[in-house]
Amino acid sequence: MREYDLIFGILACQLRLLSRGSLARSAFALSEEADATLSDVLLASKALSPEDHALLIRLVDNIIHAHRGDEKAALGTFGGDEAVEYAFAQSLTRDGATWNPAEDQTIAAENLPHGLPVEITPEPVGRYTGGSEYARGGIGRILLVHDEQIGRDVILKELLPRQDVSPTDETLSRLPAGKSPGSPMRQSAAMMARFLQEAKITGRLEHPSIVPVYELGLRKDGQLYYTMKLVRGDTLAVGIDACKDLDARLGMLRSYLDICQAMAYAHSKGIIHRDLKPSNIMIGEFGECVVLDWGLAKAQKDVDAHREAMEKSISQLKLDPEKLD
């Protein structure tokens, strides 16, 4: 199997668009079709939707282009043979498929759900203008843009370019001795999974006190983005700091009730925020209270893209309880 197919399969698994069992079965089918590609087999078998297939083709092409067309070097950034063995459920060698689905019930039984179903369209040419940076986080940045089609200002959140993302000193300090944080490309795949999870979960929640998502798309440079409502005002943290007496604090009760209603609604949908704090709540110019930043949110029935990172954080807190202070 050529390197392009291997990269395609690894990325499909890392983005939770395909289970390892499905990928292994497709790899076995590919061994019997000499002229086909893995992407062709996955699309023909409907293991991938046309939208997911197009997204992966675009991403793989961008990855290989970033390595000046060297597919072997691009594959190496994912972890080489070790990543291949894991993604294909230890069913594939570099010389071809060796797994027979009739002989291996373990892999056949592995049928993980598509945790992040994706339907992404290219950014419409000329729709969003401006683009001043509004804020920046660990893996993404928020831009203030103007939607020319509707005629309104909106927030556009996009993944940071890979070269702008690097492990923090705190992240590096938590790694066991001799361990590296992983290649930039493997980090990028994980970041895309988290970004897509955030967009999908936020977009499902339709409540007056939860920021609405308008669109999920792909920019010309290959960066994922989604747009959402622009809420002008101050954070709840600023509002609390501005309270000088009891009457002022009692005046914040309306916002508190709005937050409770928003969380009750999210919980009724099987979604938890996991990062609720005053700085992630916006009080608008006309008193509206909106919960923002659902980047760590988890849906009850979905694969959790943050699971590994959160387990590491919890383990670290158990080892060093002082970090709870």
Side-chain angles (χ1 to χ4, degrees):
M1 183 179 292
R2 61 181 183 143
E3 277 79 6
Y4 189 100
D5 289 329
L6 298 177
I7 297 170
F8 190 96
I10 292 171
L11 192 56
C13 284
Q14 289 186 344
L15 290 178
R16 307 292 197 274
L17 301 179
L18 199 65
S19 73
R20 293 167 62 207
S22 295
L23 183 59
R25 287 188 285 275
S26 297
F28 182 80
L30 179 62
S31 67
E32 300 177 345
E33 300 182 32
D35 297 330
T37 66
L38 178 63
S39 63
D40 291 338
V41 171
L42 290 169
L43 184 62
S45 65
K46 298 184 179 180
L48 281 177
S49 70
E51 294 82 9
D52 291 351
H53 178 269
L55 170 65
L56 285 167
I57 289 290
R58 179 72 175 272
L59 292 174
V60 174
D61 287 345
N62 286 346
I63 290 166
I64 294 174
H65 178 74
H67 289 83
R68 300 180 180 180
D70 190 336
E71 294 183 3
K72 186 174 182 180
L75 178 62
T77 64
F78 283 88
D81 289 340
E82 180 182 351
V84 171
E85 290 178 3
Y86 178 81
F88 288 85
Q90 297 182 344
S91 64
L92 191 73
T93 68
R94 295 295 293 276
D95 298 325
T98 59
W99 170 68
N100 187 331
E103 298 175 355
D104 193 331
Q105 297 302 315
T106 302
I107 295 176
E110 182 189 49
N111 188 23
L112 299 177
H114 289 205
L116 295 167
V118 179
E119 294 181 6
I120 299 179
T121 56
E123 178 184 4
V125 177
R127 177 168 183 176
Y128 300 112
T129 59
S132 58
E133 188 167 313
Y134 194 72
R136 179 177 290 233
I139 65 171
R141 63 176 180 172
I142 294 175
L143 305 176
L144 176 59
V145 300
H146 186 73
D147 184 343
E148 297 289 348
Q149 186 178 77
I150 304 297
R152 61 184 175 185
D153 290 334
V154 299
I155 288 295
L156 185 148
K157 185 169 184 177
E158 67 175 5
L159 274 174
L160 288 170
R162 286 187 292 272
Q163 61 268 25
D164 289 352
V165 181
S166 59
T168 63
D169 291 339
E170 181 180 1
T171 300
L172 292 173
S173 68
R174 293 181 180 180
L175 291 171
K179 294 290 185 179
S180 68
S183 68
M185 195 58 64
R186 294 177 77 178
Q187 291 173 355
S188 179
M191 286 187 292
M192 282 189 283
R194 293 197 296 268
F195 188 85
L196 289 171
Q197 175 175 288
E198 176 182 351
K200 283 286 184 176
I201 286 179
T202 311
R204 292 183 212 168
L205 299 173
E206 297 179 299
H207 188 276
S209 292
I210 297 176
V211 62
V213 169
Y214 296 141
E215 178 192 25
L216 174 62
L218 190 69
R219 312 209 79 178
K220 285 185 177 180
D221 59 2
Q223 295 294 345
L224 295 169
Y225 77 90
Y226 67 89
T227 57
M228 51 188 167
K229 179 181 179 180
L230 169 64
V231 183
R232 299 186 186 275
D234 291 317
T235 66
L236 180 61
V238 172
I240 292 173
D241 289 342
C243 293
K244 302 301 182 183
D245 52 35
L246 178 60
D247 288 341
R249 289 193 290 274
L250 290 175
M252 302 295 293
L253 282 177
R254 175 186 169 185
S255 296
Y256 177 75
L257 292 175
D258 288 342
I259 297 166
C260 291
Q261 294 287 357
M263 291 301 99
Y265 167 79
H267 294 169
S268 74
K269 300 295 183 181
I271 295 172
I272 53 175
H273 190 284
R274 298 199 296 194
D275 194 24
L276 188 64
K277 55 189 177 183
S279 59
N280 283 339
I281 298 166
M282 183 70 74
I283 307 299
E285 295 177 327
F286 300 96
E288 65 272 33
C289 181
V290 182
V291 180
L292 310 172
D293 199 350
W294 293 75
L296 291 179
K298 180 187 182 301
Q300 187 176 17
K301 296 182 180 180
D302 284 358
V303 175
D304 184 10
H306 294 276
R307 178 177 177 177
E308 183 177 349
M310 296 195 78
E311 286 178 346
K312 288 181 179 179
S313 297
I314 292 171
S315 296
Q316 181 64 29
L317 288 173
K318 289 180 179 178
L319 292 173
D320 188 1
E322 292 184 1
K323 289 187 177 290
L324 289 170
D325 296 336

